Amino acid sequence: SQQGEEDPQALSIQEGENATMNCSYKTSINNLQWYRQNSGRGLVHLILIRSNEREKHSGRLRVTLDTSKKSSSLLITASRAADTASYFCATDANNAGNMLTFGGGTRLMVKP
Amino acid sequence: DVKVTQSSRYLVKRTGEKVFLECVQDMDHENMFWYRQDPGLGLRLIYFSYDVKMKEKGDIPEGYSVSREKKERFSLILESASTNQTSMYLCASSGGGGGYGYTFGSGTRLTVV
């Protein structure tokens, strides 16, 4: 069953612009993670934010978490054509590392 | 460079065949997972294992079985392949306890004809 739902499903922007993707979830979580998937490949872990954190940065990535609204956002600043990929949020509800539930993903296209 | 290796990138099998998908990780991770990914349905968990010889059903275990005889290897078995099992299969592993991301393999695109 899908816990997270990403919005929008698809996003097309120009190189240099910022890209924002949102994720909503239904139940309480211990942490929320964002992954990237290039076409036809496996997923790559980008960033993890714990339930007691509100914002986290990693390079050009900025993730926010609002547990009261059960939502998270991923911001990619100064996007590049190489950022073209699908982005998934995933929620860890039991903090045991063995039950991560993925959303449906946002397909991001960055035009050069 | 630590990684998860799936034995095949592309596989074509006939209906009714028994199919083995192999996954090996070199990170000494306790947890291993098999997902399938289909357009519009996202990633769905088939089975996972939190220890050698242990397995737990995920959301869609029907038609599949798994084997974990060694810590580093987690095999997915399609007992009798059917066309509705045509999909991208993704293996992942994670360390024990929460707070860590998954490491995924490159995926196996299986076509059942």
Side-chain angles (χ1 to χ4, degrees):
Chain A
S1 59
Q2 288 190 12
Q3 157 83 304
E5 296 292 336
E6 283 91 340
D7 171 55
Q9 290 189 330
L11 180 61
S12 182
I13 59 175
Q14 293 294 134
E15 207 165 26
E17 294 180 341
N18 295 342
T20 299
M21 289 158 270
N22 302 296
C23 169
S24 60
Y25 57 93
K26 298 172 185 173
T27 64
S28 296
I29 61 170
N30 288 291
N31 66 72
L32 185 145
Q33 305 175 26
W34 284 91
Y35 289 79
R36 165 194 168 122
Q37 183 181 34
N38 287 77
S39 179
R41 308 294 294 185
L43 279 72
V44 175
H45 181 255
L46 294 176
I47 195 165
L48 180 152
I49 186 165
R50 302 181 193 281
S51 60
N52 61 354
E53 297 175 310
R54 291 297 167 258
E55 188 172 311
K56 203 160 183 180
H57 297 255
S58 176
R60 292 183 297 113
L61 305 181
R62 173 179 168 248
V63 169
T64 61
L65 179 65
D66 187 335
T67 53
S68 66
K69 295 181 179 178
K70 291 187 169 57
S71 68
S72 173
S73 67
L74 171 67
L75 169 68
I76 304 174
T77 60
S79 64
R80 305 166 182 168
D83 293 328
T84 294
S86 291
Y87 292 83
F88 295 86
C89 70
T91 51
D92 183 351
N94 68 3
N95 211 37
N98 58 13
M99 190 53 72
L100 206 60
T101 307
F102 289 83
T106 293
R107 294 187 310 279
L108 173 67
M109 175 174 287
V110 181
K111 300 175 183 176
Chain B
D1 192 20
V2 293
K3 58 184 172 184
V4 174
T5 302
Q6 293 183 231
S7 54
S8 305
R9 287 278 287 127
Y10 299 95
L11 212 52
V12 180
K13 296 292 182 180
R14 294 194 181 277
T15 300
E17 275 193 80
K18 191 169 186 176
V19 181
F20 293 85
L21 301 183
E22 305 287 345
C23 176
V24 177
Q25 52 98 359
D26 63 1
M27 295 163 284
D28 201 36
H29 281 168
E30 285 80 4
N31 304 311
M32 296 188 74
F33 312 84
W34 276 106
Y35 288 86
R36 65 177 281 178
Q37 184 178 27
D38 301 286
L41 296 176
L43 277 77
R44 294 180 290 168
L45 181 64
I46 305 171
Y47 268 97
F48 69 96
S49 168
Y50 55 88
D51 201 354
V52 176
K53 297 192 186 294
M54 305 302 288
K55 60 185 179 183
E56 295 286 343
K57 292 180 180 179
D59 298 321
I60 52 164
E62 296 78 18
Y64 303 94
S65 62
V66 290
S67 172
R68 193 165 182 202
E69 295 296 317
K70 294 184 178 181
K71 191 175 185 180
E72 66 270 19
R73 185 180 297 270
F74 192 35
S75 303
L76 179 69
I77 303 155
L78 285 67
E79 298 292 342
S80 177
S82 63
T83 55
N84 63 14
Q85 292 178 310
T86 291
S87 185
M88 168 71 98
Y89 289 86
L90 294 165
C91 175
S93 71
S94 75
Y100 299 96
Y102 286 12
T103 301
F104 279 84
S106 296
T108 295
R109 186 164 294 281
L110 172 67
T111 303
V112 182
V113 298

